[in-house]
């Protein structure tokens, strides 16, 4: 068994779609990043790579490589996990938390879980996604951005 953690943060901006866990969440603002800035997918990628001892998302998908511009991060998750499976490891479970004051994410969590489980080709029961706010405190509370944390167990 090997455990890994991932943390990511992206800032909000006008004129961007909000992609979380491979799900297009309706919201007036989206997150800024080289790829689609899917903060949840990025945290899970880092947790998986961390558990496998394979570095991090920036090492596997460097922003200096034009292939990853506007990439769908749920596809990057699929690619990262392919590499991990190649080393003989597979996911036991994923637990993740999205920290956002808005939008309200509860209605979208089932779709996020399904999307992540599909990318990893595992049962949705092995993927948990939670959403929380910071009661208005800090950069997520003021609506400047969204943070995500993930823990993954591999066997
Ligand atoms: Zn990111």
């Amino acid at each position: 068994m090997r455990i890994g953690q991932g943390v990511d943060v992206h800032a909000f901006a006008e004129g961007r779609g909000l992609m979380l866990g491979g799900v297009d969440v309706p919201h007036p603002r989206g997150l800024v990043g080289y790829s689609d800035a899917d903060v949840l997918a990025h945290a899970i990628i880092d947790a998986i790579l961390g558990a496998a001892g394979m570095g991090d998302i920036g090492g596997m998908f460097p922003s200096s490589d034009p292939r990853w511009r506007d990439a769908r991060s749920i596809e990057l998750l699929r690619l990262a996990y392919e590499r991990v499976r190649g080393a003989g490891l597979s996911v036991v479970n994923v637990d993740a938390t999205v920290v956002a004051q808005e939008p309200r994410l509860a209605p979208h969590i089932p779709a996020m879980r399904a999307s992540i489980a599909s990318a990893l080709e595992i049962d949705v029961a092995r993927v948990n996604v939670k959403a929380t706010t910071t009661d208005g405190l800090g950069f997520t509370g003021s609506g400047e951005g969204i943070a995500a944390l993930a823990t993954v167990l591999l066997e």
Side-chain angles (χ1 to χ4, degrees), residues 7-10 32-35 37-43 46 57 73:
V7 178
D8 196 31
V9 172
H10 283 268
V32 184
Y34 190 73
S35 63
D38 186 334
V39 67
L40 174 57
H42 292 180
D46 262 355
I57 186 172
S73 299

Side-chain angles (χ1 to χ4, degrees), residues 12 16-20 22-31 102-109 111-112 146:
F12 271 123
R16 297 269 303 186
L18 178 57
M19 188 69 72
L20 290 173
V23 174
D24 210 341
V25 176
H27 193 56
R29 297 183 302 159
L31 299 174
E102 58 173 22
R104 195 171 165 275
L105 296 176
H108 306 287
I109 282 179
M112 291 178 200
I146 294 182

Side-chain angles (χ1 to χ4, degrees), residues 67-140:
R67 275 184 299 170
W68 315 126
R69 174 177 286 282
D70 296 325
R72 293 192 67 230
S73 299
I74 200 76
E75 288 305 316
L76 302 184
L77 173 60
R78 191 185 298 275
L79 290 171
Y81 187 45
E82 259 177 31
R83 182 94 53 103
V84 167
R85 273 193 299 197
L89 294 163
S90 61
V91 166
V92 176
N93 74 303
V94 176
D95 186 29
T97 304
V98 180
V99 186
Q101 198 67 35
E102 58 173 22
R104 195 171 165 275
L105 296 176
H108 306 287
I109 282 179
M112 291 178 200
R113 291 179 65 193
S115 162
I116 294 159
S118 168
L120 299 175
E121 297 175 22
I122 57 176
D123 193 277
V124 71
R126 292 173 181 263
V127 179
N128 195 64
V129 176
K130 311 183 294 297
T132 189
T133 73
T134 53
D135 273 344
L137 297 172
F139 69 87
T140 60

